Amino acid sequence: MRYDGCKRLDISDEAGEEITNGKQKETQVVEMAVESPEETVVASESGATHRHEWMHGIMRLLTAAVDQLHDREHPAHRSLLAATSLLRQQIDPRIAGDTPDRKGRLLAWQLRKVRSYVDCHIAERISVADLSALIPLSKPHFSRAFRRTCKESPHAFLVRRRLELAARYLLETDAPVSDIALRCGFADQAHLCRLFRRAWGISPASWRRACKARVEESHIAALLSGNPYKKPQVA
């Protein structure tokens, strides 16, 4: 009986050790559970940073691809703009809002980006969809914000920039009007003449002759006044 009792006692001790070991294991699991959220946060922040850097890298590649694609009529051009727009929204969802600021106007960096794009691609076909994808905003929201900012529609702004460039070429070069029209993004010479006359009440050729006549008159006046190096004034 003593042997059995001792045996039972030994078994009880072993069971106690197992219970004790079980509690220690549970304590370790609890401690690990307490520590794991902090480790998860650190890992999450590290992963978020990595994803952010990765997305910025993809954004730079897409932007470079858009700049290197010289054929703006190619279907890939609009697809690349759309992909860039979607990725930009993922990087910073705030820029996808309906109104760029409280008054519904474009922010300064947004307007600079649109103007820069227009000036760099003025000889090419530019649509409202192309411009709105740069920011990005939907076409209706972009048009409203642009009008509130510039007091004119995106199309009117584009036409005005093309006319200003055409006037500069007319004054500073001897290129034919037909070449200037294509260089500034107009369909043909008739298209340029129609919009030029509507804006300034005179044809491009007549405007060029009048400006050159004023330059010559100003230069003659400067010679007669004894100052041949005076810069001519053009109205």
Side-chain angles (χ1 to χ4, degrees):
M1 294 295 295
R2 182 178 300 177
Y3 175 78
D4 294 339
C6 292
K7 186 175 182 180
R8 285 195 295 269
L9 180 61
D10 292 341
I11 292 173
S12 300
D13 290 343
E14 291 176 358
E17 290 178 358
E18 289 179 358
I19 293 172
T20 302
N21 292 336
K23 289 182 179 179
Q24 291 176 352
K25 291 179 180 179
E26 290 177 359
T27 303
Q28 292 175 357
V29 171
V30 171
E31 290 177 353
M32 291 176 63
V34 171
E35 294 176 357
S36 60
E38 298 178 356
E39 296 175 355
T40 302
V41 170
V42 173
S44 177
E45 292 178 351
S46 176
T49 301
H50 179 72
R51 285 194 300 272
H52 193 70
E53 294 176 352
W54 177 82
M55 292 170 72
H56 273 288
I58 297 297
M59 174 66 72
R60 287 192 293 269
L61 290 174
L62 286 173
T63 303
V66 171
D67 293 338
Q68 293 170 4
L69 188 62
H70 300 293
D71 183 7
R72 304 296 162 179
E73 299 297 329
H74 196 285
H77 179 255
R78 188 157 296 179
S79 299
L80 286 171
L81 283 177
T84 304
S85 173
L86 290 173
L87 186 58
R88 188 179 289 112
Q89 293 181 39
Q90 291 296 320
I91 293 175
D92 188 358
R94 295 173 299 175
I95 64 177
D98 290 347
T99 53
D101 71 357
R102 293 181 180 179
K103 295 183 179 180
R105 297 174 301 190
L106 295 177
L107 301 176
W109 71 266
Q110 294 172 330
L111 185 58
R112 284 196 302 270
K113 192 162 190 175
V114 171
R115 285 178 172 172
S116 176
Y117 183 88
V118 169
D119 290 341
C120 291
H121 305 94
I122 195 137
E124 303 161 9
R125 179 181 175 274
I126 301 175
S127 66
V128 175
D130 295 333
L131 299 178
S132 62
L134 297 171
I135 299 180
L137 292 171
S138 65
K139 290 190 292 185
H141 292 152
F142 170 78
S143 297
R144 286 196 298 269
F146 192 94
R147 185 181 292 275
R148 288 171 182 168
T149 305
C150 301
K151 310 303 180 186
E152 60 183 345
S153 68
H155 177 72
F157 170 80
L158 178 60
V159 170
R160 179 170 60 82
R161 296 293 285 178
R162 284 174 168 163
L163 287 174
E164 291 171 352
L165 183 61
R168 178 180 173 184
Y169 284 141
L170 288 168
L171 187 61
E172 297 180 356
T173 72
D174 294 325
V177 176
S178 57
D179 291 348
I180 292 176
L182 298 178
R183 196 182 302 179
C184 296
F186 295 100
D188 50 30
Q189 180 175 342
H191 186 203
L192 168 59
C193 291
R194 183 173 66 255
L195 295 178
F196 200 98
R197 186 182 295 274
R198 182 186 302 172
W200 291 311
I202 190 173
S203 69
S206 299
W207 185 85
R208 170 186 264 174
R209 288 193 297 269
C211 288
K212 289 187 175 182
R214 291 192 186 99
V215 170
E216 292 176 358
E217 290 174 0
S218 178
H219 185 60
I220 292 173
L223 288 173
L224 294 176
S225 65
N227 184 13
Y229 301 105
K230 181 180 178 180
K231 186 178 179 180
Q233 300 294 324
V234 179

